[in-house]
Amino acid sequence: MFNFIKEAMSPTTRSKSSQKSELTETTTTTKQKDDNNEQEEHCVKESSCSIQPTMVALKPIKGYKITDNERSRKFGVGANSLEMLKTKAKLKFPIKDLHIYLASDGYEVTDEDYFSTLESQTLFIVAGPDAIITTDSDFEFEQLRQRSPLLKVADIIYDFMEQQPEKFSKLIAEYERKKLPQQKYDQNKTVMSIKTEHPEWFLGQEEKCHTKEEALQRRAQDRVRCYYYKTKDELTRNRLYQQNQKARQIIDSVLEKFRYLLIGCDYFSMIFNRKCEHKHEIIKQKLDEEKDDETDARAVIPNKKLKQVIKEYTARHEILDQWSVSLCTDLGDFYCQGSYSDASNNCSLQHTINPYASRENLILFQVWNLDHQIELSRTILPALIENVRQLISTPKPQCSIHKTPAIDVSVLEYFLEIFSLKNLKLVHIVCHEKSQRQNKSNGRLLCKQCHEYKIVEELMQVDYDYNPDEW
């Protein structure tokens, strides 16, 4: 191929007799020179035209991976364009109206220029146009839930709770009445933290967890992630999201901002971590009454650069400080905060539990709920969707505070209501009231002057314009 190009670009080679004749000639007419020049120019033009399609064909082919939404099969394919990738994907997955999505975040890839910027071995999901994409993180969490014995037990318990709530509450109350008052914690085992010190406590836990604190942090993160997946599922299944492109863009943006804020607070991993220095008010009250033994702090595995930058940003602006607190004492005691209708954080039945003490307590801790005082599905998400509807359908939507044009919904307020202890109470199952509540969401429409809008917008830019010297 390179020889062909070289030959095409070089002037035509003349014969030896022509060269000998040329040497014997002393002069060459101007007309002959012009003719030769025209011939050479014409030859170069022809060779350039013949090379052009050859150069297009030389566009490099990259290797990619494709799978379906269920991850049932995965294939490696080579392509140098989005169209070629779609063509090959249709041979592997015969979907009538096939679309290409990024497995990392679920966004659809429709632009050739954007496609060309993606790295080799990028994983794509092929699905229909209206599919709810299961991202890599969603899929991994579901796999974890299926593999974890304790999470399976939790699913069984929750099913029983939903089907027979009164019977379940009576069973738990009877169990605690008979057993828990007689139970005394083994203080030596309770303060132990490392797996080798208390191995039976770690039965059924992930191998990655080497301390009790890590295991309980993961429990907290899993619960908060469940709220994120539930929120994402309900918002993306809503008719407004599926039928209106502008609403879809706004909701996708809200979900992305939720994800950044969750990274900033490490998915509120500290709420079950007894070694978190910052304690909830209910714990401070208990500590005033009695003093608990303290345990040594352990090192935390450092986060990746972007996560660390986001965390530093949220800490700098104290966005989530008030709610980034632990719900247990240094020993690991948790106290029920009472039903949602109780304005104070005290439980009249004085429910308490220490999941750090034994594996039995750890399993029983699964039925302690993080209860939304303002309900998630009945109140918060419908209010969010209604605000999105107003934003796209009202001719001139206004911020209720500054009376200026509204451009977004109050992402931070909705975030705190869905994920944080501002709206969540840790309650024993007996104190978890299932009745419908009258509490209303505080979410609203925002303008550019709103402090909340400025903070969240700056947060979304930290990975692009972060400068350590400015901190």
Side-chain angles (χ1 to χ4, degrees):
M1 179 63 72
F2 290 112
N3 289 336
F4 166 76
I5 295 174
K6 184 178 179 180
E7 291 174 4
M9 292 296 294
S10 62
T12 305
T13 305
R14 289 172 287 177
S15 64
K16 289 183 179 180
S17 59
S18 298
Q19 292 177 12
K20 184 177 179 180
S21 174
E22 184 179 357
L23 291 172
T24 57
E25 290 178 1
T26 55
T27 59
T28 304
T29 64
T30 303
K31 185 176 182 304
Q32 286 175 325
K33 286 183 179 180
D34 292 341
D35 289 343
N36 287 340
N37 288 337
E38 288 176 4
Q39 267 189 335
E40 288 180 3
E41 288 175 5
H42 180 67
C43 184
V44 170
K45 285 179 182 179
E46 286 186 344
S47 63
S48 298
C49 293
S50 64
I51 289 171
Q52 190 64 31
T54 306
M55 295 300 289
V56 172
L58 288 174
K59 188 175 180 180
I61 290 181
K62 293 182 181 179
Y64 301 103
K65 296 174 183 176
I66 57 172
T67 186
D68 57 356
N69 212 10
E70 292 73 33
R71 309 300 201 276
S72 61
R73 293 177 295 165
K74 187 182 290 185
F75 299 97
V77 295
N80 61 7
S81 68
L82 180 60
E83 193 59 37
M84 180 185 289
L85 182 66
K86 283 186 177 180
T87 301
K88 292 189 176 183
K90 287 178 181 177
L91 299 176
K92 304 295 184 182
F93 300 96
I95 300 172
K96 186 176 180 181
D97 187 8
L98 185 143
H99 288 239
I100 299 291
Y101 304 87
L102 287 172
S104 58
D105 54 23
Y107 288 114
E108 183 178 356
V109 182
T110 58
D111 184 71
E112 285 284 357
D113 291 335
Y114 175 71
F115 175 81
S116 65
T117 65
L118 298 175
E119 298 291 335
S120 298
Q121 303 307 314
T122 297
L123 177 63
F124 297 97
I125 293 175
V126 295
D130 299 323
I132 304 300
I133 300 303
T134 302
T135 64
D136 284 342
S137 57
D138 296 346
F139 181 76
E140 288 172 6
F141 177 77
E142 181 59 25
Q143 292 293 103
L144 171 62
R145 193 180 67 82
Q146 294 295 333
R147 291 195 305 267
S148 172
L150 290 177
L151 289 178
K152 286 182 180 179
V153 170
D155 287 341
I156 295 171
I157 292 172
Y158 289 138
D159 288 341
F160 183 59
M161 287 164 46
E162 293 293 334
Q163 295 168 12
Q164 302 184 55
E166 293 183 4
K167 185 176 181 180
F168 180 79
S169 296
K170 287 180 180 179
L171 287 172
I172 293 294
E174 183 67 15
Y175 170 81
E176 292 188 336
R177 184 181 68 82
K178 290 181 177 179
K179 189 169 184 177
L180 290 187
Q182 304 170 7
Q183 180 181 351
K184 292 184 178 180
Y185 297 152
D186 184 337
Q187 295 290 336
N188 291 329
K189 287 191 174 182
T190 302
V191 297
M192 290 175 180
S193 177
I194 304 173
K195 182 184 293 187
T196 54
E197 296 174 337
H198 195 175
E200 63 270 21
W201 190 93
F202 289 86
L203 292 176
Q205 296 291 329
E206 286 188 77
E207 293 184 0
K208 294 180 181 178
C209 297
H210 300 292
T211 67
K212 292 179 181 180
E213 290 74 24
E214 287 178 3
L216 266 298
Q217 284 186 91
R218 284 179 178 272
R219 294 295 181 87
Q221 289 174 329
D222 287 346
R223 294 200 191 193
V224 172
R225 282 194 177 96
C226 281
Y227 296 142
Y228 176 77
Y229 297 139
K230 182 178 178 64
T231 298
K232 180 179 179 181
D233 184 63
E234 292 196 21
L235 290 179
T236 55
R237 288 183 185 276
N238 185 270
R239 183 177 297 179
L240 181 65
Y241 178 89
Q242 295 187 348
Q243 294 182 353
N244 188 292
Q245 181 63 29
K246 190 173 181 181
R248 185 170 184 167
Q249 291 173 352
I250 294 172
I251 291 173
D252 283 342
S253 174
V254 168
L255 290 170
E256 183 70 359
K257 291 169 183 176
F258 281 172
R259 192 173 67 87
Y260 262 56
L261 287 164
L262 287 170
I263 290 172
C265 64
D266 197 29
Y267 289 81
F268 288 108
S269 63
M270 73 292 296
I271 63 176
F272 292 166
N273 181 9
R274 63 182 177 182
K275 293 186 177 174
C276 174
E277 295 179 0
H278 306 289
K279 303 294 183 182
H280 192 275
E281 286 300 322
I282 188 175
I283 303 303
K284 292 179 181 178
Q285 292 173 10
K286 295 292 181 181
L287 291 177
D288 289 339
E289 299 172 4
E290 56 180 340
K291 189 176 180 181
D292 297 296
D293 295 331
E294 296 183 357
T295 54
D296 296 331
R298 296 186 183 277
V300 178
I301 299 173
N303 294 289
K304 292 182 181 179
K305 183 178 179 181
L306 174 58
K307 290 184 177 181
Q308 189 60 34
V309 170
I310 295 173
K311 286 183 179 182
E312 289 173 1
Y313 180 87
T314 55
R316 176 193 176 197
H317 290 276
E318 301 180 350
I319 300 174
L320 306 170
D321 280 9
Q322 185 178 356
W323 315 111
S324 299
V325 294
S326 173
L327 283 170
C328 65
T329 66
D330 292 344
L331 188 62
D333 292 318
F334 288 84
Y335 302 93
C336 176
Q337 294 177 263
S339 65
Y340 82 95
S341 54
D342 187 350
S344 66
N345 281 323
N346 293 316
C347 167
S348 59
L349 299 174
Q350 296 184 341
H351 293 124
T352 182
I353 191 171
N354 190 323
Y356 289 89
S358 67
R359 184 168 181 271
E360 182 184 35
N361 279 13
L362 179 63
I363 295 173
L364 191 59
F365 188 59
Q366 292 286 342
V367 302
W368 281 57
N369 299 148
L370 285 171
D371 182 23
H372 284 90
Q373 298 171 83
I374 305 172
E375 294 180 285
L376 178 59
S377 296
R378 289 175 178 170
T379 306
I380 301 172
L381 297 183
L384 196 161
I385 291 170
E386 181 57 32
N387 269 337
V388 173
R389 192 189 307 277
Q390 291 181 21
L391 197 61
I392 64 174
S393 61
T394 306
K396 294 181 179 180
Q398 283 194 339
C399 165
S400 58
I401 295 179
H402 300 101
K403 307 301 180 184
T404 53
I407 57 175
D408 201 358
V409 298
S410 50
V411 173
L412 186 55
E413 182 60 38
Y414 283 123
F415 174 84
L416 293 174
E417 290 180 352
I418 295 172
F419 304 106
S420 83
L421 296 177
K422 179 181 181 180
N423 187 44
L424 291 171
K425 271 190 172 185
L426 181 67
V427 296
H428 185 282
I429 185 62
V430 174
C431 295
H432 190 180
E433 297 182 16
K434 296 289 187 178
S435 58
Q436 188 167 353
R437 305 163 191 187
Q438 301 303 317
N439 303 15
K440 293 184 179 180
S441 169
N442 296 307
R444 62 183 182 86
L445 297 180
L446 303 181
C447 67
K448 288 186 177 180
Q449 296 181 42
C450 293
H451 178 68
E452 177 186 342
Y453 173 79
K454 295 176 183 177
I455 288 293
V456 175
E457 285 302 303
E458 287 179 13
L459 171 64
M460 297 304 295
Q461 298 299 320
V462 294
D463 57 331
Y464 301 111
D465 57 11
Y466 169 64
N467 183 358
D469 296 334
E470 297 176 357
W471 289 56

